[in-house]
Amino acid sequence: FFFFLCYRALIFPLMIREGKPTPFLTFVLALLFCVFNGYLQGRSLTTYATYPPGWLSNSRFITGFLGWLIGMAINIHSDHILRNLRKPGETGYKIPRGGMFEYVSGANFFGEILEWFGFALACCTIESFAFALCTLFILGSRARQHHK
């Protein structure tokens, strides 16, 4: 979880090549959201969540963890494809190809949604499920706009 938080909030923005500049306020708000959500998820897991002995070998945890891991891999790979769509100095719209883009037009969004639903299944907390739902609604609407 911490790795992806760092990836999404710090590493990914630094890896973006030329393009439209991101307004500083947008960057700060996104960073604050990631930090706040990370705090809420971490606090929920360390303070309020209780798990029975053997939870790490439970099928819900294993399925959720695999969903989270596969979603993160799809997300990171899709981000890589998107970052490399255009050659330096090139502009214009390009349709991404390869990876999950062969099956869904918003592969990066799909990966992140899968990731957070996997996380929610592995954690089985109301906070993780709420974040997964928010991710679905926010990224789902963005994916729909991108598809159109």
Side-chain angles (χ1 to χ4, degrees):
F1 177 77
F2 182 73
F3 169 76
F4 190 77
L5 179 65
C6 288
Y7 171 77
R8 178 56 65 210
L10 301 173
I11 297 169
F12 175 75
L14 296 174
M15 293 173 64
I16 296 173
R17 292 193 286 176
E18 298 173 31
K20 297 179 208 168
T22 301
F24 184 71
L25 180 61
T26 302
F27 169 76
V28 169
L29 290 175
L31 182 62
L32 287 174
F33 172 80
C34 288
V35 168
F36 182 68
N37 181 56
Y39 170 78
L40 287 178
Q41 298 300 326
R43 175 94 175 169
S44 163
L45 291 172
T46 59
T47 306
Y48 303 109
T50 57
Y51 299 100
W55 177 251
L56 297 180
S57 60
N58 183 289
S59 61
R60 285 180 291 177
F61 176 81
I62 293 169
T63 303
F65 178 75
L66 289 174
W68 174 80
L69 196 61
I70 291 167
M72 183 170 61
I74 291 169
N75 193 1
I76 290 172
H77 183 251
S78 300
D79 285 346
H80 172 76
I81 290 171
L82 290 172
R83 270 194 316 276
N84 293 297
L85 269 180
R86 294 179 201 87
K87 294 180 176 103
E90 198 174 35
T91 59
Y93 181 78
K94 289 200 170 190
I95 296 174
R97 299 280 182 218
M100 284 300 293
F101 284 108
E102 298 301 318
Y103 305 100
V104 61
S105 60
N108 53 328
F109 300 127
F110 170 75
E112 193 158 345
I113 290 167
L114 175 61
E115 182 178 351
W116 294 120
F117 272 95
F119 180 78
L121 182 59
C123 296
C124 285
T125 65
I126 192 71
E127 294 84 0
S128 60
F129 183 66
F131 181 62
L133 277 179
C134 288
T135 301
L136 173 65
F137 293 134
I138 293 167
L139 294 186
S141 67
R142 288 184 63 197
R144 188 167 173 233
Q145 288 173 325
H146 283 248
H147 183 77
K148 286 181 179 184

